DNA sequence: CCCTTGACGAGCA
DNA sequence: CTGCTCGCCAAGG
């Protein structure tokens, strides 16, 4: 599997995430058969064209702890993602330190590989 | 070819 | 809860 196929597989899988559900980078990696490439799932989403057609609901992908990565101070990516999820009806908790988190027990989507 | 970076994950103190 | 270590691997300098 080359880089282009990897990206395609990631986008394809992310589109399968139901509305009002979230999953993790690591689980996306498992679903496409590359459990050790969680970092590259993030890369694929990072390179994604926001105007892709059909759209890719990248905002439904968070870290394994349920937290939304900050992307560093000065960037508003985390806030955008949190807002997008909130707008869809997903409960996003904001910790005192400003961290946004999602409750997997209520909104998690983790199908076993091969069952989708 | 070596070194550093990451929208990551799991384990441990 | 926070912080640190190690494993992972493609990309870019």
């Amino acid at each position: 599997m080359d880089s282009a196929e990897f990206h395609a597989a990631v986008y394809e899988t992310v589109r399968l995430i139901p509305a009002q559900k979230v999953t993790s980078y690591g689980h996306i990696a498992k679903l496409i058969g590359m459990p050790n490439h969680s970092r590259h799932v993030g890369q694929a989403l990072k390179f994604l064209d926001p105007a892709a057609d059909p759209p890719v609901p990248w905002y439904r992908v968070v870290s394994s702890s349920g937290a939304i990565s900050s992307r560093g101070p000065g960037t508003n990516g985390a806030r955008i993602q949190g807002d997008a999820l909130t707008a869809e009806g997903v409960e996003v908790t904001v910790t005192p330190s400003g961290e946004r988190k999602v409750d997997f027990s209520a909104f998690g989507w983790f199908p076993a590989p091969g069952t989708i």
Side-chain angles (χ1 to χ4, degrees):
Chain A
M1 177 181 285
D2 62 26
S3 177
E5 291 177 309
F6 178 80
H7 281 202
V10 170
Y11 301 155
E12 196 177 330
T13 304
V14 172
R15 288 196 190 98
L16 299 176
I17 305 173
Q20 297 171 5
K21 291 291 179 181
V22 297
T23 192
S24 69
Y25 299 97
H27 198 73
I28 295 292
K30 289 178 184 174
L31 291 177
I32 64 178
M34 303 185 88
N36 304 347
H37 292 56
S38 53
R39 305 179 101 115
H40 305 290
V41 172
Q43 284 294 335
L45 296 182
K46 172 182 172 183
F47 294 137
L48 173 62
D49 177 2
D53 182 51
V56 178
W58 58 271
Y59 48 82
R60 293 182 190 141
V61 185
V62 299
S63 68
S64 65
S65 63
I68 298 175
S69 306
S70 69
R71 281 93 149 173
T75 58
N76 58 357
R79 186 182 62 74
I80 298 295
Q81 182 168 359
D83 288 350
L85 290 173
T86 301
E88 278 209 339
V90 175
E91 184 180 342
V92 178
T93 302
V94 181
T95 68
S97 58
E99 193 78 23
R100 290 174 171 72
K101 300 190 70 174
V102 178
D103 181 6
F104 280 157
S105 66
F107 302 100
W109 183 75
F110 299 97
T115 64
I116 50 179

